[in-house]
Amino acid sequence: MTVYTQPGSGARFDWGLTGAAELGRVCAALVVVDVLSFTTAVEVAVGRGMRVHPFPWGEQAAEYARRVGAVAAVGRRRMTPEHPWSLSPAALRTAPVVSDLVLPSPNGSAISAAASATGLPVVAACLRNARAVGRWLRAQGYGSIDAPVGVVAAGERWPDGSLRPSVEDHLGAASVLDALVGVPGGLSVEAAMALAALASTPDVPAAVRGCVSGRELVEDGFAADVEVAVQVDASDVVPVLRKGFFSAA
């Protein structure tokens, strides 16, 4: 139904793979937000000069990387000194720079890979670059009713595979939407309600550290990844997905 695409607004908001598919049918650009940790990892890697190829989570990522001449990232626990490339933003800050990196994940990367098939520009946003992403979208003319932008919070997954809305992605998406306040087409009701979460969160880094996803990473020994992710507006890097990979706009 057309109503699911939030018509009549310049900035729209939804969750997960299905939400991205709906908004991708009508928007001129999509923004994917997966703070812990895909889009934060993309921002770090692209900021260091790497091209990042999104890919759904699974063993096929290594084969895809061989086909495109890239290095395949592995799970955090499978990192070794010889292969330090993973979904860990902290590890990617010090890993050797490679020209092309395949970075699979079950949420943000899978959404980005699917969205790339639409041919729309897809932007990777996180807390580190939310304001820069908003500035870039405005400069490109997105945010009108004729050229709406869809902001998609990736969310996490329950054990049965269903979507679990997450605090960190809600706040990351709200931070992008905050930078889009005043665009010609205005915010949809869904986008305005998502944005409201930001006003009621006086300490965004503390909220991300204390939420389920943040605590999960800390308890698993990856507190450094959370600390990289909560550096609000620390970066001007805007990774844009075109021709199958993210590179700096």
Side-chain angles (χ1 to χ4, degrees), residues 7-194:
S9 53
R12 310 175 187 188
F13 169 76
D14 217 314
W15 283 93
L17 189 62
T18 303
E22 283 296 315
L23 295 184
R25 293 193 297 110
V26 296
C27 287
L30 291 177
V31 179
V32 176
V33 182
D34 185 354
V35 170
L36 295 175
S37 297
F38 174 72
T39 52
T40 300
V42 170
E43 182 276 323
V44 169
V46 167
R48 299 188 67 209
M50 301 186 227
R51 302 193 302 188
V52 177
H53 301 248
F55 198 82
W57 194 252
E59 295 301 322
Q60 298 86 355
E63 174 56 33
Y64 175 74
R66 283 192 288 271
R67 287 206 316 268
V68 299
V71 170
V74 296
R76 286 179 173 90
R77 293 177 183 81
R78 294 177 57 194
M79 283 190 299
T80 65
E82 295 75 30
H83 198 101
W85 303 278
S86 81
L87 198 58
S88 164
L92 288 176
R93 294 181 92 176
T94 58
V97 172
V98 294
S99 58
D100 290 87
L101 180 70
V102 173
L103 189 63
S105 89
N107 301 307
S109 193
I111 293 168
S112 299
S116 70
T118 65
L120 301 176
V122 179
V123 184
C126 57
L127 291 170
R128 293 171 55 84
N129 70 345
R131 195 151 301 280
V133 167
R135 286 196 301 267
W136 183 84
L137 291 167
R138 286 173 175 272
Q140 299 299 309
Y142 298 118
S144 67
I145 294 175
D146 292 331
V149 56
V151 179
V152 179
E156 300 291 347
R157 292 186 181 274
W158 290 109
D160 66 1
S162 60
L163 173 71
R164 175 174 68 80
S166 60
V167 167
E168 71 278 7
D169 293 345
H170 191 159
L171 291 173
S175 297
V176 175
L177 292 165
D178 186 49
L180 293 175
V181 169
V183 292
L187 273 59
S188 69
V189 171
E190 288 75 10
M193 293 301 293

